[in-house]
Amino acid sequence: MLVYIILIVYIAFAVGIGIYFHRKSKTVSDFVLGGRSVGPWITAFAYGTSYFSAVVFVGYAGQFGWSFGISATWVGIGNALIGSLLAWVLMGRRTRVMSKHLESATLPEFFEKRYISKKLKIASAVIVFVFLIPYTASVYNGLSRLFEMAFNVDYSVCVIGMAVITAVYVILGGYKATAYNDFVQGIIMLIGISAVVVVTLANKGGFYSAITELSKVSAETGPMAGMNGGFTSFFGPDPINLLGVVILTSLGTWGLPQMVHKFYTIKDEKSIKTGTVVSTVFAFIIAGGCYFLGGFGRIFVDASDKGLPAEGYDSIIPAMVSTLPEILIGVVVVLVLSASMSTLSSLVLTSSSTLTLDLIIPMVKNKDKDKSEKRTLIIMRALIAVFLIVSVIMALNKNALISDLMGYSWGALAGAFLAPMLLGLFWKGVTKAGVWASLIWGVCATAVHFVLKSAGMLSGTICGFNVASPVNLGAFTMIMGLIIVPLVSLITHKLKKLDVDRIFSCYDKKVEVPHAVALTDNEGYVVLPIDKGEEK
């Protein structure tokens, strides 16, 4: 009963925030960017909560905790240092400044104006809409499995209910409703994961007892196959494939449209500094806690004859949570619901705004600005509903593995967008052809891998990496994108220098200082500053 009360209160609060901000989201800028006036803590929590969802807590923490033991914690550390800290340091300020300078509200619009190509905008918008769907489905999948455990509610009912709740507060309140909900959800996540880790390990006699028990389990595969202690070692039983997970989940954020979008909304310089610190600490606690907890999955869940979880990877965390007291189960449910709703709201807002602003509105001419704003908001809200319906249909396939759905989604999106986005902020030499090469590479590599894997034609390893893993594929597409874009750009036609200089002029701060010129001898002159209006 207590679990139900906690859940109802939380849902009512989330919807209430959406209703409150409905009155404050009257323009497209308000709905998509929060008027670019969101404070540092709100922005930082919005970034962190969009980063982590049921995909991490249920899917990745369960599967990779099982595969790598407590060394899976390295994934959380990578998420904090690369996915949060380095992302904010390298991209935060430059993305905010250039996106404002180019007046772009979405990633495809940024590509259009940065590379002066409407075709790039259209292609990018299609890629965003298509490949955010499987990621959204993976979030539904993870959350619904946990709800099945806690409430014994049918999986499909959980998926549909989640979509309805998310639709209500995102359609009503837009970005600000999403961001402020993210702040509350982030606090719940911080408290929840800390409590769950402590109590779950306490059920096994505490940390040292749990470590001792885990050290007795032998690895089935990898360099340490057949040896005890692999799951408690520093880099785990399979460090090569662990690296693939770290790269995908950490570097991937640099090219995901829903993550980059958070930088567009930054209010001021102070927000960047605060956001960098807060989002990094948040990632350390949330991601580190999730993967650390998942590392102990083998002492809570029985393995099948093949050495895999008897009911699948995605059942591991729900099985561990089921041993907790009722009040903590309620906390976990709200924790995962919070994480998932924040991610879902970010995904659907990104997808609908991209499709509306980059594909539909450019085809509709309307000289009346007020009517144009209203029409845009109506279309955007309608597309949120469409996107949720499509993703729900995909999520109803309960047998789809969460890590596969996310791996393909992140692989295609970050493989296509990471290099053009990152390099485009720093290097004037990126060409249209280089961007096209990256987009084609990310999508085609993902599609080919999906077809071959579905046909059972992928097996074995290359340099220790499992070639059938969508996670390793995603990591590979990102790394290759960073190689392909510079190579193609060096041998293809450059953008006009005048256009590039205009685009990068936002980083050139001109300072005018009054001065007096003191003539000297024939060798030249000396420029001296004016002090309080007096010449020297």
Side-chain angles (χ1 to χ4, degrees), residues 137-310:
S138 69
V139 177
Y140 284 129
N141 195 323
L143 183 66
S144 298
R145 289 177 183 276
L146 194 66
F147 265 59
E148 273 191 313
M149 177 278 298
F151 302 106
N152 196 27
V153 178
D154 184 71
Y155 175 85
S156 59
V157 174
C158 295
V159 171
I160 295 171
M162 180 68 184
V164 172
I165 296 168
T166 305
V168 169
Y169 84 78
V170 178
I171 290 174
L172 287 176
Y175 182 77
K176 277 198 172 180
T178 298
Y180 278 85
N181 260 315
D182 288 349
F183 182 71
V184 176
Q185 291 160 351
I187 293 173
I188 293 172
M189 290 166 67
L190 289 171
I191 297 172
I193 192 62
S194 302
V196 169
V197 170
V198 171
V199 176
T200 302
L201 294 184
N203 287 342
K204 287 293 184 178
F207 174 72
Y208 291 109
S209 296
I211 281 286
T212 301
E213 188 174 346
L214 184 63
S215 68
K216 299 175 182 177
V217 180
S218 61
E220 300 90 5
T221 59
M224 301 183 71
M227 297 172 58
N228 291 348
F231 296 109
T232 57
S233 62
F234 195 68
F235 289 118
D238 191 2
I240 297 297
N241 286 291
L242 174 61
L243 178 62
V245 182
V246 173
I247 293 173
L248 175 77
T249 61
S250 302
L251 195 61
T253 60
W254 299 20
L256 295 178
Q258 74 273 18
M259 302 302 296
V260 173
H261 176 261
K262 299 298 182 291
F263 298 140
Y264 286 30
T265 66
I266 294 172
K267 183 179 181 180
D268 51 32
E269 198 74 29
K270 180 183 176 182
S271 298
I272 297 173
K273 296 176 181 178
T274 304
T276 302
V277 175
V278 174
S279 64
T280 302
V281 173
F282 185 88
F284 261 119
I285 297 173
I286 299 300
C290 287
Y291 287 107
F292 177 75
L293 178 66
F296 291 93
R298 286 177 178 265
I299 64 176
F300 285 87
V301 178
D302 294 330
S304 65
D305 294 337
K306 297 180 180 180
L308 303 175

Side-chain angles (χ1 to χ4, degrees), residues 15 29 32 40 48 56 59 123 165 168 198-199 219 261 301 309 318 353 369 414 502 507 533:
V15 173
S29 177
V32 178
V56 172
I165 296 168
V168 169
V198 171
V199 176
H261 176 261
V301 178
S353 61
K369 186 176 180 181
R502 173 184 56 81
Y507 298 135

Side-chain angles (χ1 to χ4, degrees), residues 454-506:
S454 300
M457 298 172 65
L458 290 176
S459 62
T461 61
I462 297 178
C463 297
F465 287 99
N466 177 9
V467 297
S469 169
V471 172
N472 288 341
L473 165 77
F476 181 66
T477 58
M478 295 176 205
I479 299 298
M480 285 301 299
L482 290 170
I483 298 172
I484 290 171
V485 171
L487 289 179
V488 175
S489 295
L490 288 173
I491 60 174
T492 53
H493 184 68
K494 304 293 186 293
L495 295 173
K496 293 180 181 179
K497 185 178 185 302
L498 188 64
D499 289 330
V500 175
D501 288 343
R502 173 184 56 81
I503 291 168
F504 276 80
S505 65
C506 57

